[in-house]
Amino acid sequence: MATVEQYLKPAVIQQIKRLDLRAQFIVKGFLQGLHASPFHGFSVEFSEHRKYTHGDNPQDIDWLVYAKTDKYYTKKFEAETNITGYLVMDQSRSMAYTYRQELTKFDYSICLAAALCYLMIQQNDPVGLVTFGKKIEQFLPPKSKRQQIASVLSVLAKLEPVGETDISKSLTQLAAMIKHASLVMVFSDLLGDADDTISSLRRLRHGGNDVILFHVLDEAEVAFPFHGLMELEDPETKQKLEVDADNFKKDYTEELKAFRDQYSAECFKSGIDYVPLDTSMPFDRALMEYLVTRRQRA
């Protein structure tokens, strides 16, 4: 069975542990949505102190602490860290595909999820796991304890991607399950109806959730490195199609670009982060680039 170390590399931990996944989330008004007045009158639960830094609200300074220490400290509130994350994993058969890369799309997604799970636990934020095919299959409730990383990976390592997928139905089901605004991280090859999937993503976003969509494809699905007559098979429906790869490549790459562009444009309109990836990109580099960009946008 796979181990935590197989998916959560020490080198990746060193790279990401100083990045803050919550930055954009807070700036977008998440706290204001949860609490009518989170920073005035101390209306949320006090957690601990931290040193005052430039940009903090001076109204949060604890003057009693200043009187005793002659140093500025602000009160840190539980609301600042109480952001629940959900790792939402497509476990359909198509995610098991790989052409010549070491990692399948599913394994690649697990590596991304492991790093993000670690990052949220480091921030003391609870994180849970949802897997889906034609519907939600497994649900691991969010927790912020360090053991949660092993629990999440234990579930994922035992899974064998099988069956068909209904992304739209599964995400709609998830939107109904989430009771509070959360950070929803979706990992899928999105091999389904784009319009329906985008509609369900909007439903998640309109529920006050911050949504990140990791669109994970195999290298061959992006580059199409095939030649001559070949038979294509849908991994979920088993439908087959014989094509001349050399003549088919131009149409295929144009369709793929349009497919990705549609997701990119529609996600942008809805305030959803769309992250197109393929398995030829080292997952740690891809994740670092995204997290740095997210932080800069915040």
Side-chain angles (χ1 to χ4, degrees):
M1 190 182 80
T3 62
V4 172
E5 290 75 17
Q6 178 180 334
Y7 292 116
L8 189 56
K9 316 287 187 189
V12 178
I13 291 175
Q14 290 302 316
Q15 285 181 299
I16 70 169
K17 68 180 181 181
R18 291 183 178 86
L19 294 175
D20 190 348
L21 187 59
R22 294 170 298 159
Q24 181 189 27
F25 199 61
I26 292 172
V27 169
K28 280 186 173 180
F30 170 73
L31 293 179
Q32 287 77 1
L34 276 182
H35 304 279
S37 182
F39 298 124
H40 301 287
F42 308 121
S43 62
V44 293
E45 183 179 351
F46 170 70
S47 176
E48 60 185 70
H49 288 95
R50 59 176 164 79
K51 286 186 178 180
Y52 177 84
T53 58
H54 179 71
D56 285 342
N57 190 337
Q59 293 183 10
D60 294 340
I61 293 174
D62 191 323
W63 295 106
L64 290 176
V65 173
Y66 173 75
K68 294 177 181 178
T69 66
D70 203 31
K71 295 180 180 179
Y72 294 107
Y73 283 85
T74 62
K75 286 188 175 183
K76 184 177 180 182
F77 298 96
E78 194 62 37
E80 289 186 71
T81 57
N82 188 21
I83 297 172
T84 300
Y86 290 93
L87 303 164
V88 185
M89 190 74 61
D90 184 345
Q91 66 170 77
S92 60
R93 186 182 293 113
S94 65
M95 292 291 286
Y97 176 74
T98 182
Y99 176 58
R100 58 188 174 196
Q101 292 295 328
E102 178 184 355
L103 299 177
T104 67
K105 290 182 284 185
F106 191 68
D107 286 333
Y108 191 92
S109 296
I110 293 178
C111 290
L112 292 170
L116 290 165
C117 183
Y118 173 85
L119 185 53
M120 291 205 71
I121 297 296
Q122 281 289 106
Q123 296 170 176
N124 298 313
D125 294 327
V127 59
L129 173 68
V130 178
T131 71
F132 69 90
K134 295 198 75 171
K135 60 182 177 62
I136 289 179
E137 300 290 348
Q138 298 206 41
F139 178 80
L140 190 65
K143 293 181 182 178
S144 57
K145 296 180 180 178
R146 291 192 63 85
Q147 301 96 297
Q148 183 74 342
I149 301 173
S151 298
V152 166
L153 291 179
S154 176
V155 171
L156 291 173
K158 293 173 185 174
L159 288 180
E160 186 70 33
V162 293
E164 299 181 30
T165 186
D166 189 331
I167 306 171
S168 177
K169 177 182 176 182
S170 300
L171 294 184
T172 298
Q173 187 181 354
L174 177 62
M177 291 170 60
I178 297 177
K179 303 304 181 186
H180 304 287
S182 302
L183 175 58
V184 181
M185 296 158 279
V186 182
F187 306 85
S188 176
D189 53 15
L190 300 177
L191 297 185
D193 185 277
D195 292 334
D196 288 347
T197 300
I198 288 167
S199 178
S200 61
L201 286 164
R202 285 195 190 116
R203 189 173 291 109
L204 270 172
R205 183 70 183 100
H206 292 166
N209 301 298
D210 192 0
V211 182
I212 307 172
L213 178 60
F214 291 98
H215 187 187
V216 181
L217 295 175
D218 186 73
E219 172 201 19
E221 292 174 318
V222 174
F224 202 77
F226 307 110
H227 301 281
L229 284 176
M230 64 177 297
E231 186 176 75
L232 302 177
E233 179 180 284
D234 186 308
E236 296 184 12
T237 66
K238 296 300 184 180
Q239 290 183 330
K240 297 180 180 180
L241 176 68
E242 190 173 273
V243 299
D244 181 337
D246 296 291
N247 291 330
F248 183 68
K249 181 172 183 174
K250 182 175 182 294
D251 291 340
Y252 173 85
T253 52
E254 288 176 355
E255 284 293 322
L256 177 64
K257 182 179 184 303
F259 184 62
R260 281 176 148 184
D261 287 348
Q262 180 184 4
Y263 270 103
S264 179
E266 295 300 325
C267 286
F268 179 78
K269 288 179 188 176
S270 298
I272 295 169
D273 278 7
Y274 173 67
V275 189
L277 301 169
D278 75 72
T279 55
S280 69
M281 307 165 65
F283 78 90
D284 52 338
R285 190 187 76 192
L287 182 59
M288 275 295 297
E289 288 177 0
Y290 166 68
L291 290 174
V292 169
T293 301
R294 181 178 172 91
R295 182 177 63 179
Q296 291 173 343
R297 283 204 309 269

